[in-house]
Amino acid sequence: PVPSARHRGSLGEPRALFALPSARGPPPAPRWPVECEVIKETIEHIEWVPPELEPFYQPTGHEWPSATLGEEQGTVVYHLSPGSREPAAPPGAPSASLSPHHRPSGLPPAVPPGSCFTRARVGGAPGPLSSPAVPLEGPQDTTLLFESRFESGNLQKAVKVGPYEYVLTLRPDLYTTKHTQWFYFRIQNTRRDPLYRFTIANLAKPKSLYGEGMRPLLYSQQDAQSRGVGWRRVGADVRYYRGGGEEPATFRLSWTVRFPHDGDTCFFAHSYPYTYSDLQRYLGALAGDPVCSRYCAVRELCRSLAGNTIYLLTITSPAGAAAKRVVVLSARVHPGESGGSWAMRGFLDFLLSAHPDAQLLRRLFTFKVVPMLNPDGVVVGNSRCSLAGRDPNRAYGTALRSSFPGVWHLRAMVERVLAEREVVLYCDFHGHSRKNNVFMYGCDGGRAGTEPRLRQRIFPLMLSKNAPDKFSFPSCKFKVQKSKAGTGRVVMWHMGVSNSYTMEVAFGGSTLGGRSSHFNVEDLKSLGYHLCDTLLDFCDPHPAKFQQCLLEVDALLRQRLHREPDSGWSDISPSELES
């Protein structure tokens, strides 16, 4: 139900700052499920942009894992057992002793069967930490030391199968046995000279950009401290392939790498991490900026299941707020899609700046922004789910307030806004693991007349013109499928938001404009700026750009219909489905 205006207040007015990380002192510590162990060290990384673009790996045709990948013959050197305070097997035990039902690349359940989230606390599991890593036997022991019990970390097990070769198992999303994709873990006791091989043995998706030249990210603490160098793409012999014959099928990612230093602390990650604490530090800096505070208010949209604050930013210049149209943006409903947070960061950096276009946007619109819809999933290192053990981006249509508070409150907020004024754009930021470049999914439900179908495509076409080396208009899709009925994009469209989109940002990079290279954080942040630029083009009172794009879209549609009369220009194949 829509609350009365008496209780609601003006939707455009920045609210009083509350539940906001203070500019003074550290942000509130994240709350974890009580079964998660958490190390005490704070993990932070410097932000760095490589001086040159990082090309995709070019397969040589000789990539093949060596014959020593039999996990049963190896030694467990790291093993977490989520859901239980006791380690499943002592580190150093032979891999085959882990379980009488052990399969080489099997998928151990994340938590005991039937378990679900019960409660959370700051710091996770109480009491002393267990020791999931095998102790070193002395300075000559070259065994790597693994760790993932930190914010957004994900690694469940490491098995040493050769002097410098390891088979790794990821932890499924908590309270599920599925969704293994995101990884982020620490390695210590490195050696500079040997060639190491790592194989992640239990990935879920049959197809991945790792099969098209994407490479994992490495961070060296020594390089960060001595040379100011941060995350970079590494790896040769990169291969993505199906594992053994077990069902359900699992897939493997294998790569080789040389570490830059002896005795270094390094990290590997699937994508540039952006944690809940990173967001809180950013919001704390906003709170300490007296200029930003005049037109940006941060409040608590709601609390997550674990009790972490889900933040809502209202950004607008104070004058004439009541009459303004509204733009709604969200990110990180899928926690493993961290590129969405970097794009959101770029959007906020620009919109909150003194740039004349940013000032114009704040005068024209009221922005409602939820930068991290699923903080619990981000904290625990999930790929897709919240602590409800389900995908929140399928719950917008039926969301229970108690199970999916972020989704429920975002939808309720948009309903309240729509009761008073137009929402000109809704955009939810995601990551895509199987297609390169940036593209959008829109909504084309065959509403009467051709014009609405054309108009759906204008914003993405404009964005492709503003970011021609990153955004692919031909990759955009507009069909509303039954399986997507519960997504934010489709539900907001049914509620009356005509321009409702999912923006998909590849985990890999760009194949456009002569590029064949990975996205870096500057690329990702630039998407936020381009979104702002496109919004001004889209809403320009002089209709020349809009009319030009309308003609182009019409011509493209006619071409396609001529080639494929039955397509309706909204087909989408199952292999291209994602967020």
Side-chain angles (χ1 to χ4, degrees):
V2 178
S4 71
R6 189 162 51 87
H7 297 298
R8 190 165 61 243
S10 170
L11 288 164
E13 295 297 322
R15 313 288 182 113
L17 294 170
F18 87 100
L20 172 67
S22 166
R24 299 176 300 281
R31 294 172 59 84
W32 295 70
V34 289
E35 53 274 57
C36 294
E37 291 192 341
V38 186
I39 61 173
K40 296 290 180 276
E41 296 128 281
T42 301
I43 308 291
E44 284 188 58
H45 304 293
I46 64 167
E47 210 176 302
W48 175 74
V49 178
E52 295 176 357
L53 294 175
E54 297 172 296
F56 295 135
Y57 174 68
Q58 297 299 323
T60 61
H62 301 296
E63 291 79 15
W64 200 261
S66 56
T68 54
L69 281 182
E71 192 181 326
E72 309 91 325
Q73 285 78 49
T75 303
V76 178
V77 295
Y78 180 78
H79 193 205
L80 280 184
S81 181
S84 143
R85 296 287 289 132
E86 300 300 319
S95 176
S97 73
L98 286 177
S99 155
H101 310 293
H102 177 71
R103 291 179 290 137
S105 56
L107 204 65
V111 288
S115 70
C116 60
F117 172 69
T118 53
R119 61 195 179 90
R121 66 190 290 275
V122 170
L129 293 172
S130 65
S131 301
V134 65
L136 297 177
E137 293 175 359
Q140 79 292 343
D141 189 342
T142 61
T143 301
L144 294 175
L145 296 172
F146 291 84
E147 181 60 84
S148 63
R149 294 172 297 172
F150 49 82
E151 207 179 332
S152 294
N154 189 317
L155 177 71
Q156 185 162 305
K157 186 171 68 165
V159 178
K160 186 176 182 178
V161 296
Y164 301 103
E165 195 164 345
Y166 296 83
V167 176
L168 311 176
T169 304
L170 303 185
R171 194 214 71 224
D173 282 5
L174 279 187
Y175 318 115
T176 82
T177 57
K178 300 188 292 187
H179 309 298
T180 42
Q181 175 172 279
W182 170 258
F183 60 87
Y184 175 31
F185 54 89
R186 186 179 78 185
I187 288 175
Q188 293 175 308
N189 199 38
T190 61
R191 298 293 189 275
R192 193 182 69 185
D193 293 327
L195 184 68
Y196 289 82
R197 178 182 292 280
F198 298 96
T199 301
I200 297 174
N202 68 326
L203 291 160
K205 295 190 175 183
K207 187 168 179 277
S208 167
L209 287 170
Y210 286 113
E212 297 180 30
M214 177 173 154
R215 301 195 294 167
L217 282 160
L218 172 77
Y219 186 95
S220 156
Q221 213 136 282
Q222 281 192 38
D223 279 348
Q225 287 162 358
S226 63
R227 302 197 295 131
V229 170
W231 288 104
R232 59 188 186 263
R233 301 283 175 175
V234 299
D237 293 327
V238 180
R239 186 163 176 257
Y240 194 87
Y241 59 103
R242 183 170 174 148
E246 70 278 347
E247 293 296 333
T250 56
F251 299 85
R252 292 184 165 217
L253 166 65
S254 181
W255 74 94
T256 60
V257 68
R258 292 185 199 276
F259 291 110
H261 305 285
D262 287 329
D264 199 359
T265 293
C266 291
F267 296 82
F268 280 113
H270 177 55
S271 178
Y272 300 100
Y274 193 97
T275 64
Y276 183 56
S277 292
D278 288 332
L279 173 67
Q280 295 201 106
R281 279 188 285 271
Y282 183 78
L283 297 181
L286 292 186
D289 184 331
V291 176
C292 274
S293 299
R294 290 207 295 270
Y295 44 77
C296 174
V298 184
R299 69 175 181 92
E300 180 183 290
L301 177 71
C302 61
R303 293 289 174 106
S304 68
L305 292 183
N308 292 307
T309 299
I310 299 175
Y311 294 98
L312 170 66
L313 284 66
T314 300
I315 302 167
T316 194
S317 58
K324 293 179 185 178
R325 293 185 291 174
V326 177
V327 175
V328 180
L329 301 177
S330 56
R332 293 304 279 284
V333 68
H334 291 153
E337 297 169 9
S338 60
S341 278
W342 289 103
M344 180 63 81
R345 167 79 185 274
F347 169 82
L348 292 171
D349 282 350
F350 182 76
L351 186 62
L352 296 170
S353 74
H355 192 285
D357 282 355
Q359 294 181 43
L360 177 57
L361 284 163
R362 296 194 299 264
R363 283 203 304 274
L364 290 173
F365 302 104
T366 295
F367 292 87
K368 297 284 189 180
V369 181
V370 182
M372 195 171 281
L373 259 172
N374 184 0
D376 295 349
V378 173
V379 167
V380 302
N382 278 1
S383 288
R384 200 164 182 89
C385 296
S386 70
L387 296 184
R390 286 163 48 210
D391 179 350
N393 199 38
R394 295 295 180 275
Y396 278 86
T398 57
L400 296 170
R401 185 176 182 166
S402 56
S403 299
F404 299 100
V407 160
W408 191 93
H409 282 274
L410 175 59
R411 177 183 168 156
M413 185 267 292
V414 174
E415 282 178 333
R416 290 197 301 272
V417 172
L418 283 167
E420 292 189 0
R421 64 185 101 148
E422 180 190 357
V423 174
V424 71
L425 177 77
Y426 166 78
C427 189
D428 191 23
F429 294 9
H430 285 253
H432 205 288
S433 67
R434 295 192 285 257
K435 280 165 65 175
N436 273 315
N437 307 311
V438 183
F439 48 94
M440 282 179 154
Y441 292 147
C443 298
D444 174 0
R447 286 178 176 170
T450 309
E451 180 130 338
R453 303 184 63 203
L454 298 180
R455 286 177 176 272
Q456 270 289 314
R457 293 158 167 80
I458 290 176
F459 191 89
L461 181 62
M462 286 181 162
L463 188 48
S464 73
K465 291 174 182 295
N466 288 328
D469 62 334
K470 301 179 190 71
F471 193 96
S472 168
F473 183 70
S475 295
C476 296
K477 302 287 180 183
F478 300 89
K479 186 162 187 175
V480 177
Q481 293 193 303
K482 282 185 181 173
S483 63
K484 301 302 180 81
T487 60
R489 159 180 65 101
V490 175
V491 170
M492 299 296 179
W493 178 68
H494 281 305
M495 285 164 54
V497 182
S498 299
N499 299 291
S500 184
Y501 302 103
T502 300
M503 183 167 75
E504 299 281 355
V505 183
F507 284 108
S510 170
T511 60
L512 305 171
R515 281 185 63 161
S516 185
S517 58
H518 294 87
F519 287 141
N520 56 47
V521 289
E522 208 50 54
D523 288 321
L524 299 174
K525 289 198 291 186
S526 78
L527 297 170
Y529 157 71
H530 290 307
L531 194 86
C532 290
D533 198 24
T534 304
L535 189 57
L536 284 175
D537 289 341
F538 187 70
C539 297
D540 192 329
H542 302 288
K545 285 182 181 174
F546 191 95
Q547 292 299 333
Q548 175 61 33
C549 287
L550 198 58
L551 290 170
E552 283 187 44
V553 165
D554 185 44
L556 287 165
L557 178 56
R558 289 174 194 282
Q559 281 174 20
R560 175 123 178 219
L561 287 175
H562 181 68
R563 285 200 311 270
E564 308 162 45
D566 299 325
S567 78
W569 201 32
S570 53
D571 55 311
I572 181 169
S573 71
S575 67
E576 289 171 314
L577 295 180
E578 182 75 21
S579 297

